[in-house]
Amino acid sequence: LQAMPAGSGCSGCNLPGGAEWWRDMPTTVLMAYFLISWAESFPLLAYTSLLNDELHLSLSTITTFYSVSYLPYMWKPVFGWISDTFPILGYRRIPYIMLAACGSALSNLVLAVFVTSAQGLFIVVFCRTIFDAFLQLIVGGF
């Protein structure tokens, strides 16, 4: 790291360029991180309303719902192995991106239209989370 002139950049951080580090990042990377974060956090309020107001679930059931729904994120190494080991039509990423995105969209549609019970909610959200975790791994590699 190069020494920064006094009064420039971020006074407490050791990043190159101080507070201006984000200007060197490609816009597509910044947008991808923003959209993934938004897509993960935006539906949480709707889930809370659905779980509490419409399905009248207990606090322990709601806790179990969130615990179970995030399990597929631990399986990302398996998803990476699947995409690297079993190419579709000679491609290792693009078909899996398309399948995971379509699966996630279909899961959200089924959730919005057909889910009326706690059991259905658990199943559909678990499937949606599998697709989302797979998609995040393939697109972002994290």
Side-chain angles (χ1 to χ4, degrees), residues 28-42 136:
T28 54
V29 171
L30 292 173
M31 289 301 297
Y33 278 98
F34 170 76
L35 291 174
I36 287 171
S37 299
W38 180 82
E40 286 178 358
S41 62
F42 185 71
Q136 278 187 11

Side-chain angles (χ1 to χ4, degrees), residues 37-129:
S37 299
W38 180 82
E40 286 178 358
S41 62
F42 185 71
L44 291 179
L45 182 60
Y47 281 143
T48 304
S49 176
L50 176 66
L51 296 170
N52 288 331
D53 301 336
E54 295 193 26
L55 297 178
H56 307 290
L57 299 180
S58 67
L59 186 58
S60 63
T61 307
I62 293 172
T63 302
T64 303
F65 166 77
Y66 283 117
S67 298
V68 168
S69 66
Y70 285 104
L71 278 176
Y73 285 98
M74 294 188 303
W75 305 338
K76 283 184 172 184
V78 175
F79 300 151
W81 176 78
I82 289 171
S83 69
D84 289 342
T85 306
F86 304 105
I88 298 175
L89 300 173
Y91 295 99
R92 297 192 189 306
R93 302 277 184 238
I94 293 176
Y96 286 105
I97 290 172
M98 298 301 294
L99 290 172
C102 290
S104 180
L106 183 63
S107 297
N108 283 323
L109 183 64
V110 168
L111 180 66
V113 176
F114 297 111
V115 171
T116 58
S117 68
Q119 182 181 11
L121 179 71
F122 272 70
I123 292 169
V124 172
V125 169
F126 187 73
C127 290
R128 182 193 57 84
T129 308

